Amino acid sequence: LDEEYNKSLQRISPHSIDYVMRLRDEVKLVELLATYQKYFSSERVNSQEEAATLAELKVEHLYYRHDSIVMQVAQASEAAEEAKEAAAGEEVTENEDKAEEAAEGQVEMASMADQIAELCMFIYTSGSDRQKTRAMLCHIYHHAIHDRFLEARDLLLMSHLQETIPVTGDISTMILFNRTMVTLGLAAFRLGKIWDA
């Protein structure tokens, strides 16, 4: 499903309404990944390798989003759900909706960094070497776009990825590493750390 979703985005013009409609499906895909990750990591199934694969896919759908984008996506999906409910004839009072939106928005903002960290920690313990490397890069990138330069830099230096990435031979991981390094440099620049940038 993840591969088909990415293919569908590549085949749609990014300037069309269809593209925006398809972007809304990513929320459902992330929820589906979370559901199946819980299933594979449950005591009944206990397949940590598959759970780590699903956790990596979920991280790769979340790491590049700034908190402001997360809020807008959540509000857009809520508005779409409300429109469906209104079309179906269900009535919900406006005060309840506004209170729920405010509470969900605050929880979403506070928990995104924690959610990324939790998923990455699970991958670090149960994933393959490639998954661990990609999770570390995504974690560093997420810190960098939120201007948490010191946390991102410390993760990069402790992981020694700059020494191992050139010999991996995995092109997509090299691309992610380059994007992460650029974003880390931009984070340092935004904070006025010109020498570090």
Side-chain angles (χ1 to χ4, degrees), residues 2-3 49 52-57 59-60 120 123-139 161 164-165 167-177:
D2 180 63
E3 290 173 7
E49 296 84 18
T53 301
L54 294 167
E56 181 200 359
L57 288 173
V59 166
E60 292 196 12
C120 288
I123 296 167
Y124 301 151
T125 58
S126 302
S128 66
D129 288 341
R130 180 182 184 276
Q131 290 171 340
K132 291 175 186 177
T133 300
R134 291 187 67 81
M136 179 65 72
L137 291 171
C138 291
H139 201 176
L161 287 176
T164 59
I165 289 291
V167 297
T168 60
D170 183 15
I171 302 298
S172 63
T173 303
M174 289 180 188
I175 291 169
L176 181 58
F177 175 76

Side-chain angles (χ1 to χ4, degrees), residues 94-110:
E94 286 185 28
N95 292 338
E96 290 175 2
D97 282 347
K98 289 179 182 177
E100 287 176 11
E101 285 179 22
E104 288 176 8
Q106 290 172 353
V107 169
E108 190 80 29
M109 288 288 285

Side-chain angles (χ1 to χ4, degrees), residues 5-68:
Y5 174 73
N6 289 331
K7 286 179 190 175
S8 70
L9 287 177
Q10 292 171 350
R11 293 184 179 133
I12 300 173
S13 170
H15 305 292
S16 68
I17 299 297
D18 293 337
Y19 188 81
V20 176
M21 297 299 288
R22 184 49 52 104
L23 283 177
R24 291 182 186 164
D25 293 338
E26 188 173 26
V27 174
K28 296 174 187 171
L29 180 62
V30 169
E31 290 172 0
L32 191 62
L33 287 168
T35 301
Y36 279 103
Q37 180 199 350
K38 288 177 187 173
Y39 172 76
F40 280 112
S41 60
S42 68
E43 288 182 14
R44 191 176 75 171
V45 178
N46 197 19
S47 179
Q48 299 300 318
E49 296 84 18
E50 282 84 1
T53 301
L54 294 167
E56 181 200 359
L57 288 173
K58 186 175 178 187
V59 166
E60 292 196 12
H61 279 284
L62 298 176
Y63 80 96
Y64 59 87
R65 295 182 186 175
H66 194 274
D67 288 342
S68 60

Side-chain angles (χ1 to χ4, degrees), residues 140 143-155 183-189 191 193 195-197:
I140 293 166
H143 279 309
I145 63 170
H146 290 90
D147 293 336
R148 295 189 293 261
F149 172 73
L150 296 177
E151 291 91 337
R153 185 200 61 193
D154 291 347
L155 274 176
T183 307
L184 188 59
L186 289 171
F189 181 77
L191 295 172
K193 299 177 182 292
W195 181 257
D196 291 323

